[in-house]
Every structure is written in structure tokens, then in C-alpha cells.
Amino acid sequence: ECMGTIGSVLRSRKEKVDRATIPFRDMQPITIHFDGQMDRREVAPDREYTMDLFNAHPGDIVVAKIDLKNGAVGIVPDDWKNVVVTGHFAVYEPDRTRLFPSFFHRLIQTKFFKSFLWRNKGGAEGRKEVKLDFFESLEIPLPPLSAQQAIVEKWEKARAVVAAARRTSRLPSGGASF
């Protein structure tokens, strides 16, 4: 199998947080940037989210729905606990028998894929987004897991070489980007 739909390798997870079992102060809300970086969202100690919250587990792929068109797709780090998101996010559990999550993350971050998502957004002006059913129906390459992992490793190595070259001033900061 060389191709498959995103929905065939990601299973939607809608696991509502039971607020009776965990206080908000122990939950970790997140934010996802356009480059796919995920950060902990700081919430003032006297504030609390009132909307429904959903769990995201380490290794889950999380999509910021309104910013999917910009590539806001991240992976929950393995050492993060009690990660929660609002309904403005979609949480997916990757099928690790067919998908290396970092490969998927790199694929989403390619300029081509982000441009494709941008061109396929819809909705009201100012609130345009890529619909999740469309996103899940997209076909992506699914080489063997070993090939997916090798691609990610080569990408990471190339990124490290570029970063080292920038530090030693052999490459201008506006040079190659990944």
C-alpha cells in the first residue's frame, strides 16, 4: 500500500474530560502554532475554562480546526500529562502500524501541503477553515514504516546541518527553510 486517506490512519478521539475527577488547575491546555509546534497554554490561577474539554494523550495528533489551513497540527509530547483541548480542536489517535506520527507531521508542514490546505478552505469570511471530513478524505503517501522513519531521520539531520551552518555564518538566516 503506497497511498491511503488521512482518515484511514487517524482515529478521531472525542474523550470528554470528567471535571469531577480532575481539577482544572491540574489540566494542561495547549496551543498549536502554524509550524506545528505545540506549547503549554498558561492560564491565570484564578481563571478556568467553562466550555467542554477533551483529553489528548501523549502521541495523539491534534488539529487546531480554524488554523488547519495554516498547518496548525501538532503531536502531544510523550512526557505531557493531562493535556486538554476545547471543541476548537480535533484529537486523533494515529494507527502506529501504518503511520509514523513524525512523518505525518512533516508531511503536513511541507509548503505544498499547507498551500493545498489554504486553497481548500471554506466558510464565512474571517472564519474560513478546512473541513475535517475533507481533511480526513485526503490521500497521503504511506510507504512502509521503516521508510517513513528514515525520511524523518534524514530531514532531522538536514535541519541540524542547516542550523549548524547558520550558527557558523556559512548560510544567511534567510536561507533554506524546512
Side-chain angles (χ1 to χ4, degrees):
E1 161 187 6
C2 292
M3 299 290 286
T5 63
I6 290 174
S8 73
V9 292
L10 297 182
R11 184 177 62 83
S12 179
R13 182 193 303 272
K14 283 203 80 116
E15 194 177 287
K16 194 171 175 184
V17 172
D18 179 0
R19 290 182 181 244
T21 63
I22 182 170
F24 184 77
R25 70 178 176 278
D26 293 338
M27 296 179 201
Q28 182 54 70
I30 59 167
T31 190
I32 304 173
H33 303 282
F34 295 168
D35 66 356
Q37 282 293 115
M38 187 177 290
D39 287 329
R40 292 176 163 101
R41 182 170 282 186
E42 297 300 322
V43 180
D46 61 334
R47 307 247 5 237
E48 186 170 315
Y49 290 9
T50 56
M51 59 185 78
D52 286 342
L53 297 174
F54 301 89
N55 291 308
H57 299 280
D60 279 352
I61 293 172
V62 182
V63 173
K65 292 178 185 178
I66 194 70
D67 288 322
L68 172 56
K69 65 185 178 274
N70 297 308
V73 177
I75 302 171
V76 178
D78 289 337
D79 59 343
W80 288 17
K81 305 287 185 248
N82 299 326
V83 173
V84 297
V85 298
T86 66
H88 298 289
F89 294 81
V91 178
Y92 295 96
E93 179 183 7
D95 177 352
R96 293 176 183 271
T97 66
R98 298 177 56 214
L99 181 69
F100 187 61
S102 294
F103 172 78
F104 179 73
H105 190 246
R106 292 287 18 111
L107 182 66
I108 294 291
Q109 292 304 313
T110 61
K111 287 181 182 179
F112 170 82
F113 205 93
K114 286 170 104 171
S115 293
F116 179 78
L117 291 173
W118 183 262
R119 287 191 310 272
N120 285 282
K121 64 190 182 304
E125 204 56 47
R127 297 298 294 169
K128 291 186 181 285
E129 62 184 57
V130 176
K131 299 299 180 197
L132 290 179
D133 58 346
F134 173 78
F135 175 69
E136 293 168 6
S137 74
L138 295 176
E139 284 203 345
I140 58 170
L142 290 170
L145 286 175
S146 58
Q148 292 178 40
Q149 189 166 6
I151 290 167
V152 170
E153 288 169 2
K154 286 188 185 297
W155 182 88
E156 291 290 344
K157 187 180 280 188
R159 188 172 76 158
V161 168
V162 169
R166 284 186 176 142
R167 281 192 303 276
T168 58
S169 300
R170 284 186 263 154
L171 185 67
S173 61
S177 63
F178 291 89

